[in-house]
């Protein structure tokens, strides 16, 4: 079965960096676009970034220039490098597998990893 397991979250000061990882299994990882989503306290689920099967990327305006999404198809791993973090980036970050023929509609997602940006 499809499994997505995030890791790498934690507490970081404003301006700091974190690298999130998502270990994928149960499907042909290299064939699917993948996305990162986040849900801040009291907020809905927000799209953060997409990487398609060919490696093309897209970012939400709020993270553009600070976050970098990448994938290692040999290791079935999705990553999100987050630099210059801001308190507004505090959220549970979730990776998800995108359904074929769509750009952001997902059919499987992980449980998430907490990122807290605070001094």
């Amino acid at each position: 079965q499809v499994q997505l397991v995030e890791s790498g979250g934690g507490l970081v000061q404003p301006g700091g960096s974190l690298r999130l990882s998502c270990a994928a299994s149960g499907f042909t990882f290299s064939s699917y676009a993948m996305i990162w989503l986040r849900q801040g306290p009291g907020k809905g689920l927000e799209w953060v970034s997409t990487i398609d099967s060919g490696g093309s990327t897209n970012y939400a305006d709020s993270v553009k220039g600070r976050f970098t999404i990448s994938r290692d198809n040999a290791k079935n791993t999705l990553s999100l490098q987050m630099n210059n973090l801001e308190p507004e980036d505090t959220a549970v970050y979730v990776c998800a597998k995108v359904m074929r023929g769509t750009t952001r509609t997902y059919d499987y997602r992980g449980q998430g990893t907490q990122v807290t940006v605070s001094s």
Side-chain angles (χ1 to χ4, degrees):
Q1 70 279 20
V2 173
Q3 284 194 321
L4 298 167
V5 180
E6 302 91 342
S7 62
L11 173 64
V12 63
Q13 292 186 341
S17 298
L18 279 176
R19 186 176 181 86
L20 306 183
S21 294
C22 171
S25 61
F27 66 104
T28 305
F29 178 75
S30 60
S31 297
Y32 289 88
M34 299 291 294
I35 57 176
W36 283 100
L37 307 161
R38 68 185 182 184
Q39 186 163 19
K43 299 181 181 179
L45 204 56
E46 173 191 18
W47 170 76
V48 173
S49 182
T50 299
I51 185 166
D52 69 14
S53 57
S56 295
T57 60
N58 278 295
Y59 299 91
D61 287 343
S62 58
V63 307
K64 199 172 294 183
R66 300 187 298 121
F67 290 11
T68 303
I69 190 172
S70 62
R71 65 191 302 160
D72 184 337
N73 291 333
K75 296 182 178 180
N76 289 353
T77 300
L78 177 72
S79 297
L80 186 68
Q81 177 66 43
M82 306 186 296
N83 297 329
N84 195 19
L85 283 160
E86 303 169 352
E88 294 73 22
D89 296 317
T90 295
V92 175
Y93 285 73
V94 175
C95 67
K97 170 183 168 289
V98 176
M99 294 178 66
R100 284 194 191 281
T102 73
T103 56
R104 299 181 189 179
T105 303
Y106 62 90
D107 49 4
Y108 294 94
R109 53 168 284 183
Q111 292 295 316
T113 186
Q114 176 71 47
V115 171
T116 302
V117 185
S118 175
S119 55

